[in-house]
Amino acid sequence: MRRPEPARLAPAEATAPFALDSADVTTGTEATKLPAQYNPGEVEARRYEAWVAAGYFRADAEAAAPSFTIVIPPPNVTGSLHIGHALDHTLIDALVRRRRMQGYNTLWLPGMDHAGIATQNVVERELAKDGLSRHDLGREAFVDRVWQWKAESGGRILGQMRRLGDSVDWSRERFTMDAGLSRAVQTMFKRLYTDGLIYQAERIINWCPRCLTALSDIEVEHSDDDGELVSIRYGDGDGEIVVATTRVETMLGDTAVAVHPDDPRYAHLVGKQIELPLTGRRIPVVADPHVDPEFGTGAVKVTPAHDPDDFEIGRRHDLPSLVIMDERGVITAGGPFQGLDRFEARPAVLAALRAEGRVVAERRPYLHAVGHCSRCGTTVEPRLSLQWFVKVEPLAKAAGDAVRDGRVRIYPQEMAARYFDWVDDMHDWCISRQLWWGHRIPIWYGPNGEVVCVGPDDAAPAGEGWRQDPDVLDTWFSSGLWPFSTLGWPDDTPDLRAFYPTSVLVTGYDILFFWVARMMLFGLYAMSDRQPEDAVPFRQVALHGLVRDQFGKKMSKTRGNTVDPLDWIDRFGADATRFTLARGATPGGDVAVSEEWVAGARNFCNKLWNAVRFAQLNGVGADSAADSAGLPPASSLTAVDRWILSRLAAVTAEVDALFDQFEFAKACDALYHFAWDEVCDWYLELAKPALAGAAGLAGPVQAGNGLAGNGPGDTAADATRRVLGEVLDRLLRLIHPLLPFVTEELWTALTGRESVVIARWPGQVADGAAESLPVLPTDPAAETEISALMRLVTEVRRFRSDQGLRPGQQVPARLTGIATTSLADHESRIRALLRLSEPGADFSPTATLHAEDVTIELDTAARIDVEAERKRLAKDLAAAEAEIQGVERKLANASFVERAPAEVVAKNRARLAAAQQEVARLTERIAALPGAAADAPNDSGERPA
RNA sequence: GGGCUCUUAGCUCAGCGGUUAGAGCGUCCGGCUUACACCCGGAAGGUCCACGGUUCGAACCCGUGAGAGCCCACCA
């Protein structure tokens, strides 16, 4: 049922003397008419490509304006973006878009991470589908294959970023393995190597027998797994010691038993050799302070080649390291267990020991922490091997200090504690990986044992017998350089000068250690020639949480509750998807989302859409939507107009502050409620009478009804149109960072100007970067007046609803009260909001309304549900009486009056007075109800002075 | 084994020392009101995990206990 479009007034001759700023210059296109519903699919792609084409996202290294930089947490090229990326990108984009509008020279640098082990695993899985392994292809062909994968996956990711609306500078896109970054990696490696901060050593490292590579400590995930603790009797006639272990098979590699030096139980055995079961070998008993005499039997079997602790003990006592397993976890010790997998060997060895009567006790299940490969879940095997390490202590010290002394601030602050825990107690970082996909370690070995580190500008050693280290670097080595390698480091480029340090790092708390800490280590080291405050990789770190489902459960493929951001974008729009995520994003907090949330966000977009549509239908055009320099003087505005401008000013300031604190959820909430409740539900409704008068929709504005009063009807209407235009204009700018697409569509339609992307921000702006918009006037008096009006209307509606009256029906009541203004001033608005079509006894314009005391005087002749009314009044009365009791008790307390702040006491006094009035009023009304008996609660006579 | 966090309306969460503890979604009631039914109006729903303490005053601070989660960890 289409309704006839109301005739639209020609926009009042564009006489408006509004000061347009150059960035906002109109394109001359006339404001377009909008359909009744927002259709995101239709506008998003078109808008995005237009933005890119216009170059809005390009940063300028030579610009005079202060810069604002964010480097993207580079997504892994393992597939496509998940909802967590969408959250991250939404928050970054919101920050970046606001800064751009504030006049900063803004750079959001996009790119991707080669993600060494993760990507290699993915491609290996692909190959496995064809029954191939990487070894079938050979190193070179395999790496080619991964590049091919990277092209596909990367393309997918970039497409997703465009769909999300990410305002990245595409001209600066980087990849951790592109030529420039590889150069940075090599430079960094050589520098660290030369400084003695990279070294090679034979150590026990975490080894994944499936990925066949070393792992760093943080690539190992611990979980409490069921195992069994077996106590085994070592030795025989030569003396006995019982040891306990959860990894029985490792006893094949034992080369000692250790006890505490002060342990009297074993003192006589220290230095002796005892028999190691099953092997026919004899091993020494050594005394080592590391052994805890309280734990178990106080004796430990020592397997230097397969346990980091034991390795240390072995070093201290000069024990041999006996390797009994190969890289796949298969026993190589010889004997009956030769060729068994470690998990087959375990029961086999146990059975053999049992057969020999060596097993003293078995405890199962025995819960203990077991390390797993974070990429494939395989149980990690400690393994003795030659690897490269970064000596982190000196680097970590600097990284800790930068946060301690405030050069880098972490949000939320509580997360800093975790950061310190880690950075202050970090083991050396194993950086070599036995993989093919990644940055090859720039070390060459010569025929005579030479070891040469090759920098990016060095020629690799040539000649017979030279070969490069086959390993690659941990993927986090290159991502640790990301904030400066992407800007051209090691060269002193204009980009590096302009955009480093970056401003904010926005990422999930889950990679605080993996990534954030590494960037700190490397950034401070690489930039150590700068002033300390400018050496940091970023000034702020804003951590967000994980995206969870509507029950707060972690999303996982096995649980089947994952969300594909593209699916939501397709069905609800990018803006709705973004808003849903941002709305849940408290600093460091996880975000619970569900489809209903997204639908709600979609509805919000539609609400904005219709607000603008309404404005347009009411003659708000490009001439009305301008800077507030063009606003009529406050004296010629209605209280309603002054109220909404005042509220807008407050909300603008609030949103600014919230953005600065990374309080996205609160910013969204503030905008949502302001836009929906205050602008749409109240302001538009309150403005209707005036606008109707002007647009000829409902007859002329009646003279003398007090609408802003003075002058011919349309002056008031015109003023309201301008205010409405101004409010929507600014509101759209304010929401744009979060909802870039709808706001662009609406803002350009409303104002006829080029793009809101480059429009001025309505709040604070960068120092000297741009002129700000004129500050809106605040008006506390108008706010008080309108909130009284709102209360009045609400009260009547409530009454009507209680009474079961149809909204179209007249209120059988008389309205009184409101001190700040005459009720008559608002008659047309009250009539409109309450749908009082005809004047009559139901409305008495001469009465006054009291702000704190909105009164409905019942017309006793009307048919009302007396019982319902009595019930309601009784309930209100009870609440008011409870209030009085509480406050009176408080005020009766001498300590409170003396010790509480004066304003708190005053506030309570006011509350008491208000409540007492309320009680009196309610009592009267109850008494006045038809058929009121004498038993009406009677507290009157207690009126305050 | 250390460290951190959480427990508030049916669900997901705000609030973190002074209003009658809030929001979204859900629920109930009433409405095709010429921007929007992706809407409008109204309402119901909470011993703020328990117990103790500090305070004039506690959902908020401090203990203790019970549940849940996260991070770190070389205790065999």
Side-chain angles (χ1 to χ4, degrees), chain A residues 95-165:
Chain A
L95 292 175
V96 161
R97 284 179 184 269
R98 181 176 76 119
R99 291 301 187 193
R100 188 149 42 223
M101 293 173 76
Q102 285 179 323
Y104 285 83
N105 179 28
T106 304
L107 169 62
W108 179 7
L109 189 144
M112 290 177 283
D113 194 314
H114 70 281
I117 188 171
T119 309
Q120 173 160 331
N121 279 349
V122 169
V123 175
E124 283 190 279
R125 269 201 297 277
E126 291 288 305
L127 285 177
K129 286 180 193 162
D130 303 330
L132 295 172
S133 82
R134 67 174 146 133
H135 300 284
D136 295 325
L137 299 191
R139 185 162 187 155
E140 208 172 313
F142 177 76
V143 169
D144 283 348
R145 183 66 184 263
V146 183
W147 275 106
Q148 202 181 313
W149 167 272
K150 182 261 167 186
E152 292 164 27
S153 166
R156 220 167 17 243
I157 289 169
L158 301 182
Q160 285 179 300
M161 290 173 63
R162 301 175 102 86
R163 292 294 308 278
L164 267 169

Side-chain angles (χ1 to χ4, degrees), chain A residues 117 205-208 211 213-220 372-375 378 380 430 432-434:
Chain A
I117 188 171
I205 43 81
N206 306 295
W207 180 266
C208 175
C211 300
T213 179
L215 302 171
S216 66
D217 289 345
I218 52 172
E219 287 170 303
V220 176
H372 299 271
C373 171
S374 62
R375 284 300 158 190
T378 303
V380 163
C430 176
S432 43
R433 296 289 179 279
Q434 289 64 51

